[in-house]
Amino acid sequence: AAWSTVWTSLRIEEAGPFALVVPLPDGAYVDQSSDAWFEALEVATATRVLPPEGLNPYCPGKGGPADPFDVAGSTGHTESLAPEAIALADDAAAVATWAQGQGLTLGGALETALGSAGAKRFLCVRFTSPGGSVTTPTLRVSAPQGLPTLPFSITHAAAAPLRVSTWLIGGGRGDLGGTTAVP
């Protein structure tokens, strides 16, 4: 009961190399989890679009199920990208050195954010996206103390908007620190 777990996976739209850097609290365990975990959450929480009650949703002369609905978004399985390189870094400077060795750039502001993430170590995983919608394998981090986090301060994207889907599962109301609650 004292342990907490965070699962993380990225969906990338742009082509090119990128890295997933996961902060690891002291005593944490990390492993690759089934992609079905996030796929099941996506299906269970996807928006369903229903026709107005009592109205025929079909074109004249056409028919179908009595209670049709559309599910917004993708609900099928997408094969995740294979990692090209995996490393464990002891601090933000080691992450920067690893990134440089992988042909990736870690800006000063991002290195500073990594340094203040409160992690003892970092898992660094390099991928190359062919373009289109692709996902990284799902990683599971379990920690024996406190709440494990994936700080948004270390989340960085290129020119495209960065969209984040978050599910919080546990007792009580969840909180995304540093955000504005919207009813």
Side-chain angles (χ1 to χ4, degrees):
W3 285 66
S4 296
T5 303
V6 169
W7 288 265
T8 187
S9 176
L10 301 178
R11 181 176 297 139
I12 305 297
E13 303 288 335
E14 295 183 20
F18 68 96
L20 173 59
V21 178
V22 180
L24 301 175
D26 202 20
Y29 290 93
V30 63
D31 65 332
Q32 185 172 330
S33 181
S34 170
D35 291 336
W37 172 244
F38 278 126
E39 290 171 354
L41 284 172
E42 189 75 37
V43 169
T45 61
T47 301
R48 269 106 172 127
V49 180
L50 302 167
E53 193 172 324
L55 295 180
N56 183 355
Y58 300 104
C59 293
K62 301 290 182 186
D67 292 319
F69 64 89
D70 280 336
V71 177
S74 173
T75 58
H77 173 69
T78 302
E79 192 69 32
S80 57
L81 291 172
E84 296 172 350
I86 301 173
L88 195 58
D90 289 329
D91 54 28
V95 173
T97 301
W98 175 83
Q100 184 178 21
Q102 296 296 317
L104 301 169
T105 303
L106 185 69
L110 192 51
E111 187 173 347
T112 300
L114 282 173
S116 63
K120 299 292 182 187
R121 295 170 296 158
F122 297 90
L123 176 67
C124 307
V125 188
R126 183 189 196 278
F127 301 92
T128 299
S129 171
S133 184
V134 295
T135 60
T136 63
T138 301
L139 298 177
R140 177 177 51 200
V141 178
S142 295
Q145 58 189 4
L147 294 174
T149 62
L150 190 58
F152 290 126
S153 61
I154 65 170
T155 306
H156 176 77
L162 180 65
R163 290 178 281 181
V164 177
S165 296
T166 304
W167 291 272
L168 303 169
I169 302 170
R173 183 181 170 108
D175 180 34
L176 296 175
T179 63
T180 302
V182 177

